[in-house]
C-alpha cells in the first residue's frame, strides 16, 4: 500500500493547476480556465484573539473556512473566468468550492480506504481522474457526472448494501473543496492525484467502484 507521501509525490509531474506561490484567486481562475470547472467562493478564515475562526461566526463550525457562505451558492457557481476573478477580488481569502453534478461527480471515501484503492488501481492500470485529500481524512475521486444516481446500484451488484460502506457519491446539490482551501487549523486540501492533461477525460463511476467498494469493505 502506498503512503500518503509516496502517492502525492508520485503525481507531481505536469500538474494543472500549479499551486505553490499562487493566490486563491489565481487558482480558482485556473480551475475555471484550464479545467472548465464551475467554482464559487465559500467562507474564509479570520483571526479572532489569535485563533483562526470561520467567517460564518460559528465558533463550533465543523469545517471552518471551507463551506458555502450563502444559501444560494448553486446559483453563484460559475465557469466564467471573468466572473470568478471578480468574486475572489471581492474576498481574496475565500475558500475555493467546486459544485458536483456539473462537469464532474465525486466519490468520497475514508483516507485509509482511498489509498488502498489507489494502490489497487495502480496495479490494475485503471484510468484515474483527479483525487483530493482533505484535512478531515477523506478522499474524493472525480468521475463523470451521474455517479450519484448509479453508485448505489453498482454497490449492490458487488454484494454490498450501500449503507454498510462509508462510500458517498456527491452529485447535484453537493460540492467539494478545491486545493489549497484550508480547514481551520487542520490543514489544507491537497491533490492525491493532481489534474493533468492525461486525466482531463474523467472515468465513469463504474470503472472505479469495485476497488473503492473493496477498500471500504476492508476499512470497516
Amino acid at each position: 500500500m502506498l503512503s500518503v507521501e509516496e502517492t502525492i509525490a508520485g503525481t507531481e509531474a505536469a500538474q494543472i493547476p500549479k499551486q505553490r506561490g499562487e493566490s486563491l484567486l489565481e487558482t480558482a481562475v485556473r480551475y475555471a480556465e484550464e479545467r472548465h470547472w464551475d467554482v464559487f467562493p465559500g467562507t474564509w478564515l479570520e483571526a479572532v484573539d489569535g485563533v483562526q475562526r470561520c467567517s460564518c461566526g460559528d465558533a463550533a463550525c465543523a469545517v471552518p473556512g471551507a463551506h458555502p457562505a450563502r444559501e444560494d451558492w448553486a446559483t453563484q457557481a460559475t465557469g466564467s473566468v471573468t466572473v470568478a476573478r471578480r468574486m475572489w477580488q471581492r474576498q481574496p481569502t475565500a475558500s475555493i468550492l467546486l459544485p458536483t453534478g456539473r462537469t464532474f461527480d465525486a466519490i468520497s471515501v475514508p483516507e485509509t480506504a482511498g489509498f488502498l484503492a489507489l494502490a489497487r488501481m495502480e496495479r490494475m492500470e485503471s484510468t484515474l481522474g483527479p483525487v483530493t485529500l482533505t484535512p478531515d481524512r477523506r478522499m474524493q475521486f472525480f468521475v463523470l457526472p451521474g455517479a450519484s444516481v448509479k453508485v448505489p446500484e453498482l454497490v449492490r451488484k458487488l454484494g454490498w448494501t450501500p449503507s454498510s460502506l462509508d462510500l458517498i457519491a456527491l452529485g447535484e446539490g453537493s460540492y467539494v473543496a478545491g486545493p489549497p482551501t484550508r480547514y481551520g487549523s487542520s490543514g489544507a486540501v491537497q491533490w492525491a492525484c493532481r489534474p493533468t492533461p492525461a486525466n482531463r477525460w474523467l472515468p465513469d463511476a463504474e470503472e472505479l467502484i469495485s476497488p473503492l467498494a473493496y477498500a471500504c469493505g476492508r476499512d470497516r
Side-chain angles (χ1 to χ4, degrees):
M1 178 176 170
L2 298 176
S3 68
V4 173
E5 291 81 6
E6 288 171 334
T7 304
I8 293 178
T11 53
E12 290 281 342
Q15 56 179 303
I16 297 178
K18 64 182 180 181
Q19 287 173 215
R20 292 180 181 177
E22 282 196 318
S23 66
L24 289 161
L25 183 155
E26 292 169 329
T27 304
V29 165
R30 286 171 70 86
Y31 287 152
E33 184 174 35
E34 298 187 12
R35 299 301 289 202
H36 304 294
W37 289 341
D38 282 5
V39 297
F40 68 98
T43 52
W44 56 92
L45 296 173
E46 299 175 332
V48 179
D49 298 327
V51 178
Q52 293 290 319
R53 295 284 175 84
C54 186
S55 62
C56 72
D58 183 358
C61 181
V63 282
H67 64 86
R70 299 164 37 161
E71 290 186 4
D72 64 344
W73 61 264
T75 62
Q76 187 186 22
T78 180
S80 164
V81 170
T82 302
V83 176
R85 186 179 299 280
R86 188 181 307 130
M87 288 194 294
W88 267 272
Q89 283 174 338
R90 293 194 197 108
Q91 183 47 255
T93 58
S95 53
I96 302 173
L97 303 181
L98 312 171
T100 50
R102 299 188 183 190
T103 51
F104 64 87
D105 278 7
I107 301 176
S108 175
V109 299
E111 176 189 294
T112 50
F115 278 112
L116 177 61
L118 277 177
R120 194 174 187 197
M121 291 173 191
E122 185 176 72
R123 292 194 298 272
M124 296 166 61
E125 297 184 348
S126 301
T127 300
L128 276 175
V131 182
T132 61
L133 173 64
T134 66
D136 58 355
R137 305 182 70 83
R138 296 201 62 91
M139 294 177 73
Q140 279 97 28
F141 290 73
F142 289 25
V143 294
L144 288 172
S148 61
V149 175
K150 63 175 70 172
V151 159
E153 185 57 31
L154 291 173
V155 168
R156 291 188 191 95
K157 287 181 178 178
L158 292 171
W160 302 93
T161 56
S163 61
S164 69
L165 299 179
D166 188 2
L167 184 155
I168 304 165
L170 304 173
E172 186 175 357
S174 296
Y175 62 90
V176 297
T181 293
R182 296 191 64 83
Y183 283 32
S185 60
S186 299
V189 183
Q190 303 176 61
W191 289 116
C193 291
R194 295 181 182 276
T196 70
N199 64 21
R200 181 174 295 278
W201 303 105
L202 299 176
D204 190 273
E206 194 165 359
E207 300 173 56
L208 306 187
I209 198 63
S210 179
L212 286 173
Y214 170 80
C216 288
R218 284 277 302 272
D219 195 49
R220 291 190 305 170

